[in-house]
Amino acid sequence: MCSRFDLNIDIRAFQVQLGLDMEDIRRMVSHGGFDGSNDANAPDHSDPDNADDASETAAAFDGLTGTRRPTDPIAVILTSRKLGLRRWGLTGGNLTAPLINARAETLDQKPTFRPLLARRCLIPATAWYEWRKDGGAKRKNHITLPDHQPFLFAGLENGTEATIITCAPSTAIAHIHNRMPVVIGPNHINAWLDPSVAFDQTRHMLTALPDHVLAWHEEAPTAPKTKHNDDQISLFSK
């Protein structure tokens, strides 16, 4: 499972590396993203040479970084190699909560995901979180690649929302949780984003990362708060 992840790098850093078209997402963030006029086709009256407009756009891009939670706007790389904006979690139908994850093993069996198999996407991240069960407690773990390198989750999107695909975990982190997000490696990016490539030809990509590329840190448990008992006898009361 993946219910929280970090993106601690400017999303525009992926532009040159992956040859991304940034125009749509630049226009969307300039118009307030999901909270304002999010029509990517709306006329763009911003002036990139204007210091105020440039500052506002930079601040909007900054809003896509940090810790991302379900229903947050997230940056996604679409099949067209455009960078888009989606809400994290699929909604609609009889769903009682957003579907933030999709199991790799059953994607082509579920009516929610089958129509999206040609709408594959990539979701940039720098870390994700899992909670290890420890008796009645849950211990928060921060999982990264070496040197906190950025990477790309495998996802599906429907035009306004996206979900992260999960698989059985790498042996190294299986003690933390029984699922992990799928990370698409550099050699598989082109095929994953190509809608003309049948899903069956990409299924082999949806597996766990090798143990040696994973690093994790478990937060120390916090001391339980002591409840003050107003009925206790104070030795200093009069």
Side-chain angles (χ1 to χ4, degrees):
M1 184 177 180
C2 176
S3 61
R4 198 174 300 176
F5 69 90
D6 284 346
L7 178 60
N8 292 325
I9 186 174
D10 190 324
I11 191 65
R12 290 167 290 185
F14 290 89
Q15 182 176 10
V16 174
Q17 183 182 6
L18 299 177
L20 302 180
D21 180 345
M22 303 282 287
E23 188 58 29
D24 281 359
I25 194 169
R26 189 185 69 80
R27 187 177 292 114
M28 289 179 75
V29 298
S30 295
H31 286 81
F34 283 101
D35 299 320
S37 172
N38 62 4
D39 183 359
N41 297 314
D44 186 6
H45 301 297
S46 62
D47 180 1
D49 295 325
N50 181 290
D52 290 339
D53 285 349
S55 178
E56 288 179 5
T57 299
F61 273 108
D62 288 344
L64 296 175
T65 60
T67 300
R68 316 312 295 164
R69 296 172 173 82
T71 73
D72 279 351
I74 58 173
V76 301
I77 300 170
L78 306 172
T79 55
S80 58
R81 288 284 180 140
K82 287 185 175 183
L83 194 66
L85 203 58
R86 299 290 185 267
R87 289 272 185 206
W88 183 15
L90 305 181
T91 60
N94 296 321
L95 299 176
T96 58
L99 284 177
I100 60 173
N101 295 150
R103 294 177 68 93
E105 299 88 342
T106 56
L107 287 177
D108 57 353
Q109 301 171 30
K110 301 293 185 179
T112 301
F113 305 128
R114 269 200 310 269
L116 306 180
L117 294 180
R119 301 193 61 145
R120 302 186 291 267
C121 66
L122 295 168
I123 300 166
T126 50
W128 77 92
Y129 296 89
E130 296 290 5
W131 279 258
R132 181 180 65 84
K133 290 184 179 179
D134 181 14
K138 290 185 177 181
R139 309 300 184 197
K140 185 178 180 181
N141 282 259
H142 183 250
I143 304 171
T144 65
L145 268 58
D147 300 321
H148 297 265
Q149 301 170 40
F151 50 85
L152 301 166
F153 291 139
L156 302 174
E157 59 89 25
N158 65 8
T160 57
E161 303 161 332
T163 189
I164 294 173
I165 299 172
T166 66
C167 64
S170 303
T171 304
I173 58 172
H175 67 286
I176 301 173
H177 200 278
N178 63 0
R179 304 293 293 176
M180 69 172 285
V182 172
V183 174
I184 296 294
N187 295 335
H188 291 152
I189 289 174
N190 289 338
W192 180 255
L193 290 178
D194 188 345
S196 69
V197 176
F199 173 70
D200 280 346
Q201 294 178 262
T202 65
R203 192 190 299 270
H204 68 282
M205 304 175 189
L206 305 180
T207 56
L209 288 169
D211 289 345
H212 70 275
V213 302
L214 290 168
W216 65 95
H217 171 73
E218 183 168 294
E219 290 187 2
T222 56
K225 293 182 179 179
T226 303
K227 184 178 179 181
H228 179 69
N229 184 354
D230 291 332
D231 295 329
Q232 65 183 352
I233 298 174
S234 171
L235 297 178
F236 302 98
S237 62
K238 294 181 180 179

